Amino acid sequence: MSMVTEEKRQIALKRAEELKERISDYLEYKKKIPTGFKEWNKIKERQEKIKEIFGASEAEWKDWKWQLRNRINKVETLKKFFNLTPEEKDISLTGSKFRWAVVPYYLSLIDPENPADPVRLQSIPSIEEYFDASGVMDPMAEEFTSPALAVTRRYPDRLIINVTNQCPSYCRHCQRRRNIGEVDRQAPREEIKVALKYIAENEEIRDVLLTGGDALMLSDKTLDWILTELDNIPHVEIKRLGTRAPVTLPYRITGELCQMLSRHLPLYINTHFNHPLEVTPDSRDACWALARCGINLGNQAVLLKGINNHPLLMRNLNQELLKIMVRPYYIFHAKGVRGTRHFRTRVEEGIEIMEQLRGYTSGLAVPTFIVNAPKGYGKTPMLAEYLVSMGANKLLIRTWEKRILEYENDEDI
Ligand SMILES: *Cc1c(COP(=O)(O)O)cnc(C)c1O
C-alpha cells in the first residue's frame, strides 16, 4: 500500500471512530427500550392468562372476530388484569364521555406492573380526558370539507371515503373521536355509492383513501366490492387503506384478506404504530403477509407526550418498523382535540426528533413531521433547517452533525 493510501485509510478510520461516537448514546438507550420482540415471552404468558379467563382456545385467540366479540370495555373485567391507577379509577365516568374498548390481543401487550405503559396510556381512559375543557371536537373542520356523503376532500387530486366509525380498540388520543359514537356504524352501501359517484364524476381524483374508523373493520366482501368499484373508475390510479389492525389486531390479516387485496393492486396501506412495544412477532407476520401480496405499507405515528416524545425512542420505532417492512411515512403533531390535552407536545419536540433522525439513521427511517393546518387547510411539513443562507452563487448549508459549510450554487461549475 502506498503512503498516500495509508494516510487516507487513517483518516477514514478516525472518521469511523467519530461516527461510532455519534450514536453511542443511542446504542446505550436502545438496550433499555422494551420492544414487542424483547417482551414477547412475557406477552405470551399474559395471553395464556387472558385465554384462561375467557375460556378461549388458541384458535379462538387467533380469530379476529373472537377478539372483537371479547373486547374489554368493563371495569370489572379490566380489574382482573391490573390494579387501576388514580387516573384510571373513574373509568366509567370518562367512558360515559368518550367510548373505550380494547381487544384482548392489544391488552396483552400491557405490562400490568407499569402504570405508564405506552399501550396502557393509549387504550385505558384517564380522568384527564374527562376534565379537559381545552381544544375542540373537530379541529380540522372535517365537517366543512365533505362535498358528498361519506367524503372528506382537502386536496386537489385525492380524497377520503369514511367507510366506518368502527375500530378494534379506541385510541385515547383519537383525533376523530367525535365520530366514535356509542354505536358501531358502517357507512351503508347507499352512502358509499354516493361517494363512488362523486369520484366517478370528478376526473381529477386519482387517489382514494378508505378510512374511518378503521377500514379493515369492513368485511372482506364489502371491501372487495368497494375496491372493485374503484378499479372500474378509469381515472382512479391508486387506492389506500387506513387501518390500525396490524398494530391492535394483527389476526385481521388473514390469508383470505391478503388474497382478496392482492387482486386490487396498486394498493397502499397506512397503519399507526406509536411505540416499539407494538412491534411484535404477530404484527410482523401480518405486515409481511401484506407485503408478500405486493401491498406497500406505511406508518403514520402521532407524537404523544409520555409515550413517544423522545428522539431516541422514535429512532428505534422507525428502525423496528423497517424490520417488519413498514416504511415510516408521517409523524403527526397531536391536534387540539378535546380530551387529549395530556398527550399534546410542543411542535419543537417534533422538529428535534426529525433532527435526530436525519443522518443518524437510514433515510428510509425518516418520515415527515406534519402539523395539520387549522380549518382543514391541509398537512403542513415542519422541517428542521438545513439551509442557513442563500447568496447569489453560494449557499451556506448545515449538515446533520451541525457543520456549517459553503456550497457552490453556480450553474457554470
Ligand atoms: C391525510 C389526508 C389525505 C392524504 O394525504 P397524503 O399527504 O397524500 O398522505 C387525503 N385526504 C384527506 C382529507 C386527508 O386528511
Side-chain angles (χ1 to χ4, degrees), residues 20-175:
K20 246 185 223 196
E21 190 52 37
R22 290 274 180 269
I23 60 163
S24 59
D25 59 341
Y26 175 66
L27 296 178
E28 274 309 301
Y29 184 86
K30 188 177 155 187
K31 287 182 197 158
K32 289 177 269 166
I33 303 175
T35 70
F37 276 83
K38 287 189 216 162
E39 299 295 304
W40 192 235
N41 284 338
K42 283 186 229 160
I43 294 169
K44 289 294 267 184
E45 273 173 34
R46 298 200 284 266
Q47 293 181 349
E48 286 311 314
K49 189 181 157 195
I50 301 175
K51 277 192 256 174
E52 213 177 285
I53 290 173
F54 283 100
S57 65
E58 178 64 16
E60 280 173 318
W61 177 264
K62 294 242 161 131
D63 171 358
W64 66 280
K65 289 185 175 158
W66 180 91
Q67 289 274 338
L68 284 180
R69 277 198 307 275
N70 289 283
R71 292 203 294 201
I72 292 98
N73 60 3
K74 293 206 173 57
V75 193
E76 305 78 65
T77 324
L78 197 60
K79 280 182 177 162
K80 291 180 188 165
F81 304 106
F82 43 73
N83 297 322
L84 301 187
T85 64
E87 289 75 30
E88 291 166 346
K89 73 175 174 29
D90 294 310
I91 201 165
S92 309
L93 189 64
T94 314
S96 68
K97 206 162 166 183
F98 300 112
R99 186 180 194 181
W100 76 281
V102 197
V103 283
Y105 165 80
Y106 199 48
L107 186 82
S108 77
L109 304 189
I110 299 177
D111 171 5
E113 307 297 325
N114 180 11
D117 180 281
V119 173
R120 183 173 186 152
L121 296 181
Q122 288 181 76
S123 46
I124 310 300
S126 154
I127 195 69
E128 292 183 82
E129 294 177 41
Y130 184 80
F131 287 119
D132 178 12
S134 75
V136 293
M137 290 311 284
D138 181 17
M140 291 190 287
E142 287 181 320
E143 285 162 10
F144 296 95
T145 50
S146 178
L149 263 179
V151 168
T152 307
R153 180 171 186 185
R154 286 200 256 156
Y155 298 105
D157 68 343
R158 57 205 187 281
L159 54 71
I160 285 177
I161 309 181
N162 293 287
V163 291
T164 178
N165 76 344
Q166 277 180 275
C167 291
S169 288
Y170 294 103
C171 303
R172 303 330 297 164
H173 55 279
C174 181
Q175 307 284 293

Side-chain angles (χ1 to χ4, degrees), residues 387 390-395 406-413:
L387 177 59
M390 172 112 64
N393 293 312
K394 265 186 188 133
L395 311 181
E406 266 187 11
Y407 187 86
E408 298 294 335
N409 189 24
D410 190 336
E411 287 170 52
D412 296 330
I413 289 186

Side-chain angles (χ1 to χ4, degrees), residues 45-330:
E45 273 173 34
R46 298 200 284 266
Q47 293 181 349
E48 286 311 314
K49 189 181 157 195
I50 301 175
K51 277 192 256 174
E52 213 177 285
I53 290 173
F54 283 100
S57 65
E58 178 64 16
E60 280 173 318
W61 177 264
K62 294 242 161 131
D63 171 358
W64 66 280
K65 289 185 175 158
W66 180 91
Q67 289 274 338
L68 284 180
R69 277 198 307 275
N70 289 283
R71 292 203 294 201
I72 292 98
N73 60 3
K74 293 206 173 57
V75 193
E76 305 78 65
T77 324
L78 197 60
K79 280 182 177 162
K80 291 180 188 165
F81 304 106
F82 43 73
N83 297 322
L84 301 187
T85 64
E87 289 75 30
E88 291 166 346
K89 73 175 174 29
D90 294 310
I91 201 165
S92 309
L93 189 64
T94 314
S96 68
K97 206 162 166 183
F98 300 112
R99 186 180 194 181
W100 76 281
V102 197
V103 283
Y105 165 80
Y106 199 48
L107 186 82
S108 77
L109 304 189
I110 299 177
D111 171 5
E113 307 297 325
N114 180 11
D117 180 281
V119 173
R120 183 173 186 152
L121 296 181
Q122 288 181 76
S123 46
I124 310 300
S126 154
I127 195 69
E128 292 183 82
E129 294 177 41
Y130 184 80
F131 287 119
D132 178 12
S134 75
V136 293
M137 290 311 284
D138 181 17
M140 291 190 287
E142 287 181 320
E143 285 162 10
F144 296 95
T145 50
S146 178
L149 263 179
V151 168
T152 307
R153 180 171 186 185
R154 286 200 256 156
Y155 298 105
D157 68 343
R158 57 205 187 281
L159 54 71
I160 285 177
I161 309 181
N162 293 287
V163 291
T164 178
N165 76 344
Q166 277 180 275
C167 291
S169 288
Y170 294 103
C171 303
R172 303 330 297 164
H173 55 279
C174 181
Q175 307 284 293
R176 294 207 171 100
R177 40 182 29 192
R178 69 179 191 288
N179 295 342
I180 311 302
E182 276 314 300
V183 281
D184 293 333
R185 181 180 183 278
Q186 286 196 2
R189 278 200 177 210
E190 291 315 309
E191 237 172 70
I192 291 176
K193 280 184 188 163
V194 173
L196 291 167
K197 184 161 175 288
Y198 178 85
I199 294 163
E201 287 170 352
N202 290 272
E203 284 191 10
E204 71 283 7
I205 302 301
R206 41 162 289 288
D207 172 4
V208 176
L209 227 155
L210 307 181
T211 182
D214 192 310
L216 288 185
M217 287 296 92
L218 298 192
S219 67
D220 292 4
K221 198 163 150 253
T222 305
L223 267 175
D224 194 22
W225 168 67
I226 301 173
L227 291 170
T228 306
E229 291 292 312
L230 289 171
D231 287 338
N232 290 334
I233 302 175
H235 55 269
V236 173
E237 299 170 1
I238 61 171
K239 300 155 302 288
R240 301 198 242 177
L241 303 180
T243 174
R244 211 179 179 196
V247 185
T248 59
L249 185 52
Y251 313 134
R252 173 67 185 95
I253 317 304
T254 60
E256 300 84 74
L257 177 77
C258 290
Q259 244 176 25
M260 182 277 284
L261 293 178
S262 71
R263 290 198 301 270
H264 298 286
L265 303 185
L267 181 63
Y268 293 76
I269 290 187
N270 267 341
T271 189
H272 175 35
F273 286 90
N274 282 330
H275 193 282
L277 191 61
E278 295 167 334
V279 182
T280 68
D282 283 354
S283 281
R284 174 202 53 197
D285 292 349
C287 292
W288 282 13
L290 290 166
R292 282 198 186 96
C293 292
I295 295 162
N296 231 285
L297 292 152
N299 190 61
Q300 309 194 152
V302 180
L303 181 57
L304 297 168
K305 192 196 279 180
I307 293 176
N308 59 17
N309 60 330
H310 190 296
L312 302 184
L313 183 109
M314 272 293 191
R315 198 188 293 172
N316 189 245
L317 170 65
N318 292 325
Q319 293 176 351
E320 287 295 299
L321 289 174
L322 290 180
K323 283 156 66 178
I324 63 166
M325 298 186 79
V326 175
R327 170 83 157 86
Y329 181 57
Y330 284 145

